[in-house]
Amino acid sequence: MPFCFRALIVLAGLLCSSAVFAGEVRTPKGVIELFTSQGCASCPPADSALSQLVAQGDMVVLSYHVDYWNYLGWTDTLSSKENTERQYGYAKTMGRSGVYTPQAIINGREHVKGTDLAVINAKVDGMQKSGEGLTVPIGAAMRGDEIEIEIGEGQGQAEVVVAYFTKRQMVDVTKGENSGKNMEYWHSVYDVQSVGMWNGKKMTLTLPGKALGKTKKDGCAILLQSSGPGGEPAAIIGATVLMAGRKKN
């Protein structure tokens, strides 16, 4: 089954609100996907940078915990092989032979070091100006117990991907390279689902919404993402975020 149809697809994206952070992103400038690990000594600064991107309130931001550093003595409590596969999928799309942490993927098109906020913001702004930003409008809201997604017109074809995430969580790391640290993580993706295909025309999708607002299920990001010849994740052309509790007017 193609990579993008295996619970890893695109997903990408979202921003959430809290008493400390800015409100939800309604018209995002871009999508940032951070690949990180609790067992990576270089990752805490990137995790902190991600929280600052959330605070900016103008982008869809997602965090994917990979599992390939678990052998260093600490098993990342948020990691999954699917997240690792997604990162390797991007590597193939971009013609790279390997992966690294902390790595930030921007709009599914380019990668940069996840700690460099200035570069990330500059890349997002540059993509907007060059036509490589989010060009297809997407709206999402809760209607009763269902999620209603509305996608506008545009060019091309893309998957409609829903990435479920936890807004914020704290983790005590007791072993490995970050031993003794109490780590804060935002927008950690724990499930990704491909829910349909978009062919350039307006469309509306209705999904069960019972997953939102229960236990750790705080929200989801809806993404329009193209794929490579082998189903690898590629350019993201539209995105929005839906937090538990947002109702349709």
Side-chain angles (χ1 to χ4, degrees), residues 193-218:
Q193 300 176 11
S194 177
V195 299
M197 293 295 299
W198 171 83
N199 63 4
K201 298 179 181 180
K202 289 183 179 180
M203 68 181 294
T204 299
L205 292 171
T206 301
L207 308 175
K210 293 182 179 180
L212 293 182
K214 302 205 177 166
T215 63
K216 67 177 183 178
K217 302 179 176 79
D218 296 316

PDB file of all heavy atoms in Angstrom, residues 193-218:
ATOM      1  N   GLN A 193      -4.771   9.830   9.347  1.00  0.00           N
ATOM      2  CA  GLN A 193      -5.695   9.077   8.498  1.00  0.00           C
ATOM      3  C   GLN A 193      -5.913   9.802   7.175  1.00  0.00           C
ATOM      4  O   GLN A 193      -6.102  11.016   7.151  1.00  0.00           O
ATOM      5  CB  GLN A 193      -7.046   8.901   9.198  1.00  0.00           C
ATOM      6  CG  GLN A 193      -6.986   8.149  10.512  1.00  0.00           C
ATOM      7  CD  GLN A 193      -8.344   8.084  11.197  1.00  0.00           C
ATOM      8  OE1 GLN A 193      -9.369   8.422  10.612  1.00  0.00           O
ATOM      9  NE2 GLN A 193      -8.334   7.662  12.445  1.00  0.00           N
ATOM     10  N   SER A 194      -5.886   9.031   6.089  1.00  0.00           N
ATOM     11  CA  SER A 194      -6.252   9.565   4.787  1.00  0.00           C
ATOM     12  C   SER A 194      -7.750   9.349   4.619  1.00  0.00           C
ATOM     13  O   SER A 194      -8.248   8.229   4.722  1.00  0.00           O
ATOM     14  CB  SER A 194      -5.488   8.841   3.681  1.00  0.00           C
ATOM     15  OG  SER A 194      -5.880   9.309   2.411  1.00  0.00           O
ATOM     16  N   VAL A 195      -8.497  10.433   4.374  1.00  0.00           N
ATOM     17  CA  VAL A 195      -9.956  10.334   4.377  1.00  0.00           C
ATOM     18  C   VAL A 195     -10.592  10.620   3.018  1.00  0.00           C
ATOM     19  O   VAL A 195     -11.818  10.562   2.890  1.00  0.00           O
ATOM     20  CB  VAL A 195     -10.559  11.276   5.435  1.00  0.00           C
ATOM     21  CG1 VAL A 195     -10.080  10.893   6.822  1.00  0.00           C
ATOM     22  CG2 VAL A 195     -10.232  12.737   5.129  1.00  0.00           C
ATOM     23  N   GLY A 196      -9.794  10.921   2.008  1.00  0.00           N
ATOM     24  CA  GLY A 196     -10.385  11.171   0.703  1.00  0.00           C
ATOM     25  C   GLY A 196      -9.380  11.770  -0.271  1.00  0.00           C
ATOM     26  O   GLY A 196      -8.226  12.017   0.069  1.00  0.00           O
ATOM     27  N   MET A 197      -9.843  11.983  -1.509  1.00  0.00           N
ATOM     28  CA  MET A 197      -9.023  12.595  -2.545  1.00  0.00           C
ATOM     29  C   MET A 197      -9.728  13.843  -3.071  1.00  0.00           C
ATOM     30  O   MET A 197     -10.962  13.875  -3.207  1.00  0.00           O
ATOM     31  CB  MET A 197      -8.793  11.624  -3.702  1.00  0.00           C
ATOM     32  CG  MET A 197      -7.929  10.422  -3.337  1.00  0.00           C
ATOM     33  SD  MET A 197      -6.224  10.873  -2.905  1.00  0.00           S
ATOM     34  CE  MET A 197      -5.660  11.637  -4.430  1.00  0.00           C
ATOM     35  N   TRP A 198      -8.950  14.854  -3.344  1.00  0.00           N
ATOM     36  CA  TRP A 198      -9.436  16.127  -3.883  1.00  0.00           C
ATOM     37  C   TRP A 198      -8.896  16.279  -5.298  1.00  0.00           C
ATOM     38  O   TRP A 198      -7.704  16.040  -5.550  1.00  0.00           O
ATOM     39  CB  TRP A 198      -8.951  17.249  -2.986  1.00  0.00           C
ATOM     40  CG  TRP A 198      -9.173  18.648  -3.468  1.00  0.00           C
ATOM     41  CD1 TRP A 198     -10.310  19.404  -3.349  1.00  0.00           C
ATOM     42  CD2 TRP A 198      -8.223  19.495  -4.141  1.00  0.00           C
ATOM     43  NE1 TRP A 198     -10.126  20.648  -3.893  1.00  0.00           N
ATOM     44  CE2 TRP A 198      -8.859  20.725  -4.391  1.00  0.00           C
ATOM     45  CE3 TRP A 198      -6.905  19.297  -4.557  1.00  0.00           C
ATOM     46  CZ2 TRP A 198      -8.206  21.776  -5.039  1.00  0.00           C
ATOM     47  CZ3 TRP A 198      -6.251  20.334  -5.197  1.00  0.00           C
ATOM     48  CH2 TRP A 198      -6.901  21.571  -5.435  1.00  0.00           C
ATOM     49  N   ASN A 199      -9.753  16.672  -6.227  1.00  0.00           N
ATOM     50  CA  ASN A 199      -9.339  16.755  -7.638  1.00  0.00           C
ATOM     51  C   ASN A 199      -9.400  18.167  -8.208  1.00  0.00           C
ATOM     52  O   ASN A 199      -9.501  18.358  -9.425  1.00  0.00           O
ATOM     53  CB  ASN A 199     -10.197  15.821  -8.487  1.00  0.00           C
ATOM     54  CG  ASN A 199     -11.670  16.207  -8.469  1.00  0.00           C
ATOM     55  OD1 ASN A 199     -12.047  17.223  -7.875  1.00  0.00           O
ATOM     56  ND2 ASN A 199     -12.507  15.399  -9.112  1.00  0.00           N
ATOM     57  N   GLY A 200      -9.357  19.149  -7.339  1.00  0.00           N
ATOM     58  CA  GLY A 200      -9.348  20.533  -7.796  1.00  0.00           C
ATOM     59  C   GLY A 200     -10.672  21.239  -7.683  1.00  0.00           C
ATOM     60  O   GLY A 200     -10.743  22.459  -7.839  1.00  0.00           O
ATOM     61  N   LYS A 201     -11.739  20.482  -7.422  1.00  0.00           N
ATOM     62  CA  LYS A 201     -13.062  21.081  -7.299  1.00  0.00           C
ATOM     63  C   LYS A 201     -13.473  21.208  -5.836  1.00  0.00           C
ATOM     64  O   LYS A 201     -12.965  20.509  -4.976  1.00  0.00           O
ATOM     65  CB  LYS A 201     -14.087  20.228  -8.046  1.00  0.00           C
ATOM     66  CG  LYS A 201     -13.818  20.114  -9.542  1.00  0.00           C
ATOM     67  CD  LYS A 201     -14.861  19.240 -10.202  1.00  0.00           C
ATOM     68  CE  LYS A 201     -14.589  19.100 -11.702  1.00  0.00           C
ATOM     69  NZ  LYS A 201     -15.609  18.235 -12.362  1.00  0.00           N
ATOM     70  N   LYS A 202     -14.426  22.095  -5.586  1.00  0.00           N
ATOM     71  CA  LYS A 202     -14.941  22.254  -4.226  1.00  0.00           C
ATOM     72  C   LYS A 202     -15.516  20.926  -3.742  1.00  0.00           C
ATOM     73  O   LYS A 202     -16.149  20.200  -4.506  1.00  0.00           O
ATOM     74  CB  LYS A 202     -16.031  23.321  -4.174  1.00  0.00           C
ATOM     75  CG  LYS A 202     -15.535  24.743  -4.370  1.00  0.00           C
ATOM     76  CD  LYS A 202     -16.699  25.720  -4.233  1.00  0.00           C
ATOM     77  CE  LYS A 202     -16.219  27.150  -4.406  1.00  0.00           C
ATOM     78  NZ  LYS A 202     -17.343  28.114  -4.279  1.00  0.00           N
ATOM     79  N   MET A 203     -15.294  20.643  -2.458  1.00  0.00           N
ATOM     80  CA  MET A 203     -15.856  19.418  -1.905  1.00  0.00           C
ATOM     81  C   MET A 203     -16.106  19.579  -0.418  1.00  0.00           C
ATOM     82  O   MET A 203     -15.483  20.413   0.252  1.00  0.00           O
ATOM     83  CB  MET A 203     -14.924  18.218  -2.153  1.00  0.00           C
ATOM     84  CG  MET A 203     -13.611  18.256  -1.399  1.00  0.00           C
ATOM     85  SD  MET A 203     -12.543  16.814  -1.750  1.00  0.00           S
ATOM     86  CE  MET A 203     -13.513  15.469  -1.051  1.00  0.00           C
ATOM     87  N   THR A 204     -17.042  18.782   0.103  1.00  0.00           N
ATOM     88  CA  THR A 204     -17.353  18.761   1.523  1.00  0.00           C
ATOM     89  C   THR A 204     -17.277  17.329   2.021  1.00  0.00           C
ATOM     90  O   THR A 204     -17.789  16.412   1.380  1.00  0.00           O
ATOM     91  CB  THR A 204     -18.763  19.311   1.793  1.00  0.00           C
ATOM     92  OG1 THR A 204     -18.836  20.670   1.339  1.00  0.00           O
ATOM     93  CG2 THR A 204     -19.090  19.274   3.283  1.00  0.00           C
ATOM     94  N   LEU A 205     -16.621  17.141   3.165  1.00  0.00           N
ATOM     95  CA  LEU A 205     -16.506  15.829   3.792  1.00  0.00           C
ATOM     96  C   LEU A 205     -17.080  15.905   5.198  1.00  0.00           C
ATOM     97  O   LEU A 205     -16.912  16.906   5.896  1.00  0.00           O
ATOM     98  CB  LEU A 205     -15.042  15.390   3.873  1.00  0.00           C
ATOM     99  CG  LEU A 205     -14.327  15.064   2.556  1.00  0.00           C
ATOM    100  CD1 LEU A 205     -12.837  14.870   2.818  1.00  0.00           C
ATOM    101  CD2 LEU A 205     -14.913  13.823   1.919  1.00  0.00           C
ATOM    102  N   THR A 206     -17.718  14.826   5.615  1.00  0.00           N
ATOM    103  CA  THR A 206     -18.232  14.746   6.974  1.00  0.00           C
ATOM    104  C   THR A 206     -17.650  13.502   7.629  1.00  0.00           C
ATOM    105  O   THR A 206     -17.759  12.396   7.094  1.00  0.00           O
ATOM    106  CB  THR A 206     -19.768  14.667   6.989  1.00  0.00           C
ATOM    107  OG1 THR A 206     -20.297  15.830   6.343  1.00  0.00           O
ATOM    108  CG2 THR A 206     -20.284  14.614   8.415  1.00  0.00           C
ATOM    109  N   LEU A 207     -17.005  13.690   8.788  1.00  0.00           N
ATOM    110  CA  LEU A 207     -16.342  12.597   9.495  1.00  0.00           C
ATOM    111  C   LEU A 207     -16.891  12.477  10.907  1.00  0.00           C
ATOM    112  O   LEU A 207     -17.356  13.465  11.490  1.00  0.00           O
ATOM    113  CB  LEU A 207     -14.833  12.858   9.582  1.00  0.00           C
ATOM    114  CG  LEU A 207     -14.086  13.182   8.288  1.00  0.00           C
ATOM    115  CD1 LEU A 207     -12.644  13.534   8.612  1.00  0.00           C
ATOM    116  CD2 LEU A 207     -14.160  12.016   7.322  1.00  0.00           C
ATOM    117  N   PRO A 208     -16.806  11.283  11.502  1.00  0.00           N
ATOM    118  CA  PRO A 208     -17.168  11.142  12.922  1.00  0.00           C
ATOM    119  C   PRO A 208     -16.266  12.029  13.760  1.00  0.00           C
ATOM    120  O   PRO A 208     -15.053  12.058  13.551  1.00  0.00           O
ATOM    121  CB  PRO A 208     -16.933   9.657  13.207  1.00  0.00           C
ATOM    122  CG  PRO A 208     -16.981   9.000  11.870  1.00  0.00           C
ATOM    123  CD  PRO A 208     -16.414   9.994  10.909  1.00  0.00           C
ATOM    124  N   GLY A 209     -16.827  12.762  14.699  1.00  0.00           N
ATOM    125  CA  GLY A 209     -16.029  13.684  15.500  1.00  0.00           C
ATOM    126  C   GLY A 209     -15.889  13.283  16.947  1.00  0.00           C
ATOM    127  O   GLY A 209     -15.376  14.046  17.766  1.00  0.00           O
ATOM    128  N   LYS A 210     -16.302  12.070  17.293  1.00  0.00           N
ATOM    129  CA  LYS A 210     -16.282  11.653  18.691  1.00  0.00           C
ATOM    130  C   LYS A 210     -14.873  11.546  19.252  1.00  0.00           C
ATOM    131  O   LYS A 210     -14.679  11.538  20.459  1.00  0.00           O
ATOM    132  CB  LYS A 210     -17.013  10.320  18.844  1.00  0.00           C
ATOM    133  CG  LYS A 210     -18.517  10.431  18.578  1.00  0.00           C
ATOM    134  CD  LYS A 210     -19.213   9.099  18.792  1.00  0.00           C
ATOM    135  CE  LYS A 210     -20.712   9.234  18.535  1.00  0.00           C
ATOM    136  NZ  LYS A 210     -21.414   7.944  18.729  1.00  0.00           N
ATOM    137  N   ALA A 211     -13.870  11.432  18.361  1.00  0.00           N
ATOM    138  CA  ALA A 211     -12.496  11.304  18.843  1.00  0.00           C
ATOM    139  C   ALA A 211     -11.988  12.585  19.494  1.00  0.00           C
ATOM    140  O   ALA A 211     -11.093  12.547  20.339  1.00  0.00           O
ATOM    141  CB  ALA A 211     -11.562  10.927  17.695  1.00  0.00           C
ATOM    142  N   LEU A 212     -12.554  13.724  19.111  1.00  0.00           N
ATOM    143  CA  LEU A 212     -12.069  14.993  19.633  1.00  0.00           C
ATOM    144  C   LEU A 212     -12.650  15.286  21.007  1.00  0.00           C
ATOM    145  O   LEU A 212     -13.819  15.052  21.276  1.00  0.00           O
ATOM    146  CB  LEU A 212     -12.429  16.134  18.687  1.00  0.00           C
ATOM    147  CG  LEU A 212     -11.736  16.115  17.327  1.00  0.00           C
ATOM    148  CD1 LEU A 212     -12.151  17.331  16.536  1.00  0.00           C
ATOM    149  CD2 LEU A 212     -10.235  16.065  17.467  1.00  0.00           C
ATOM    150  N   GLY A 213     -11.788  15.830  21.876  1.00  0.00           N
ATOM    151  CA  GLY A 213     -12.256  16.281  23.171  1.00  0.00           C
ATOM    152  C   GLY A 213     -12.317  15.204  24.230  1.00  0.00           C
ATOM    153  O   GLY A 213     -12.845  15.425  25.305  1.00  0.00           O
ATOM    154  N   LYS A 214     -11.767  14.031  23.963  1.00  0.00           N
ATOM    155  CA  LYS A 214     -11.782  12.960  24.943  1.00  0.00           C
ATOM    156  C   LYS A 214     -10.352  12.540  25.257  1.00  0.00           C
ATOM    157  O   LYS A 214      -9.538  12.371  24.377  1.00  0.00           O
ATOM    158  CB  LYS A 214     -12.577  11.778  24.425  1.00  0.00           C
ATOM    159  CG  LYS A 214     -14.005  12.178  24.077  1.00  0.00           C
ATOM    160  CD  LYS A 214     -14.942  11.011  24.139  1.00  0.00           C
ATOM    161  CE  LYS A 214     -16.364  11.469  23.852  1.00  0.00           C
ATOM    162  NZ  LYS A 214     -17.254  10.352  23.568  1.00  0.00           N
ATOM    163  N   THR A 215     -10.085  12.344  26.529  1.00  0.00           N
ATOM    164  CA  THR A 215      -8.741  12.009  27.021  1.00  0.00           C
ATOM    165  C   THR A 215      -7.734  12.959  26.394  1.00  0.00           C
ATOM    166  O   THR A 215      -7.846  14.165  26.537  1.00  0.00           O
ATOM    167  CB  THR A 215      -8.397  10.536  26.722  1.00  0.00           C
ATOM    168  OG1 THR A 215      -8.357  10.321  25.311  1.00  0.00           O
ATOM    169  CG2 THR A 215      -9.420   9.609  27.328  1.00  0.00           C
ATOM    170  N   LYS A 216      -6.728  12.429  25.671  1.00  0.00           N
ATOM    171  CA  LYS A 216      -5.682  13.293  25.142  1.00  0.00           C
ATOM    172  C   LYS A 216      -6.011  13.850  23.759  1.00  0.00           C
ATOM    173  O   LYS A 216      -5.225  14.576  23.174  1.00  0.00           O
ATOM    174  CB  LYS A 216      -4.373  12.519  25.056  1.00  0.00           C
ATOM    175  CG  LYS A 216      -4.394  11.395  24.024  1.00  0.00           C
ATOM    176  CD  LYS A 216      -3.036  10.721  23.943  1.00  0.00           C
ATOM    177  CE  LYS A 216      -3.009   9.651  22.866  1.00  0.00           C
ATOM    178  NZ  LYS A 216      -1.692   9.021  22.723  1.00  0.00           N
ATOM    179  N   LYS A 217      -7.147  13.512  23.217  1.00  0.00           N
ATOM    180  CA  LYS A 217      -7.473  13.886  21.847  1.00  0.00           C
ATOM    181  C   LYS A 217      -7.950  15.336  21.798  1.00  0.00           C
ATOM    182  O   LYS A 217      -9.139  15.609  21.888  1.00  0.00           O
ATOM    183  CB  LYS A 217      -8.508  12.917  21.287  1.00  0.00           C
ATOM    184  CG  LYS A 217      -8.058  11.460  21.312  1.00  0.00           C
ATOM    185  CD  LYS A 217      -9.134  10.551  20.767  1.00  0.00           C
ATOM    186  CE  LYS A 217      -8.665   9.109  20.687  1.00  0.00           C
ATOM    187  NZ  LYS A 217      -8.686   8.419  21.968  1.00  0.00           N
ATOM    188  N   ASP A 218      -7.031  16.246  21.611  1.00  0.00           N
ATOM    189  CA  ASP A 218      -7.334  17.668  21.726  1.00  0.00           C
ATOM    190  C   ASP A 218      -7.725  18.339  20.431  1.00  0.00           C
ATOM    191  O   ASP A 218      -8.378  19.374  20.435  1.00  0.00           O
ATOM    192  CB  ASP A 218      -6.134  18.419  22.308  1.00  0.00           C
ATOM    193  CG  ASP A 218      -5.820  17.981  23.724  1.00  0.00           C
ATOM    194  OD1 ASP A 218      -6.754  17.829  24.517  1.00  0.00           O
ATOM    195  OD2 ASP A 218      -4.640  17.787  24.022  1.00  0.00           O
TER     196      ASP A 218
END
